[in-house]
Short mmCIF file of all heavy atoms in Angstrom, two decimals:
data_model
loop_
_atom_site.label_atom_id
_atom_site.label_comp_id
_atom_site.label_asym_id
_atom_site.label_seq_id
_atom_site.Cartn_x
_atom_site.Cartn_y
_atom_site.Cartn_z
N LYS A 11 11.30 26.46 14.51
CA LYS A 11 10.79 25.09 14.46
C LYS A 11 9.32 25.04 14.01
O LYS A 11 8.81 24.01 13.69
CB LYS A 11 10.94 24.42 15.83
CG LYS A 11 12.34 23.93 16.04
CD LYS A 11 12.42 23.15 17.37
CE LYS A 11 13.85 22.60 17.58
NZ LYS A 11 14.14 22.31 18.96
N LEU A 50 -10.01 -11.69 3.48
CA LEU A 50 -8.60 -11.32 3.57
C LEU A 50 -7.89 -12.38 4.46
O LEU A 50 -8.25 -12.61 5.59
CB LEU A 50 -8.42 -9.95 4.19
CG LEU A 50 -7.00 -9.46 4.31
CD1 LEU A 50 -6.36 -9.13 3.04
CD2 LEU A 50 -6.90 -8.20 5.25
N VAL A 60 -5.29 -16.44 9.83
CA VAL A 60 -6.55 -15.79 9.99
C VAL A 60 -7.21 -15.46 8.66
O VAL A 60 -6.51 -15.00 7.72
CB VAL A 60 -6.37 -14.45 10.75
CG1 VAL A 60 -7.66 -13.64 10.91
CG2 VAL A 60 -5.79 -14.71 12.17
N HIS A 139 -10.04 1.41 3.19
CA HIS A 139 -11.27 1.22 2.46
C HIS A 139 -11.84 2.50 1.99
O HIS A 139 -12.81 2.54 1.12
CB HIS A 139 -12.35 0.45 3.30
CG HIS A 139 -12.54 1.08 4.68
ND1 HIS A 139 -13.25 2.29 4.83
CD2 HIS A 139 -12.09 0.71 5.89
CE1 HIS A 139 -13.24 2.58 6.13
NE2 HIS A 139 -12.57 1.59 6.81
N PRO A 181 10.43 -11.41 -4.92
CA PRO A 181 9.98 -10.26 -5.78
C PRO A 181 8.54 -10.43 -6.23
O PRO A 181 8.10 -11.54 -6.57
CB PRO A 181 10.92 -10.37 -7.00
CG PRO A 181 11.53 -11.74 -6.95
CD PRO A 181 11.52 -12.18 -5.58
N ASP A 204 18.93 1.11 -9.67
CA ASP A 204 18.99 2.41 -9.05
C ASP A 204 19.62 2.37 -7.63
O ASP A 204 19.38 1.43 -6.90
CB ASP A 204 17.62 3.06 -8.93
CG ASP A 204 17.09 3.54 -10.30
OD1 ASP A 204 17.93 3.78 -11.17
OD2 ASP A 204 15.89 3.63 -10.47
#
Side-chain angles (χ1 to χ4, degrees):
K11 278 185 179 159
L50 181 69
V60 175
H139 50 75
D204 286 334

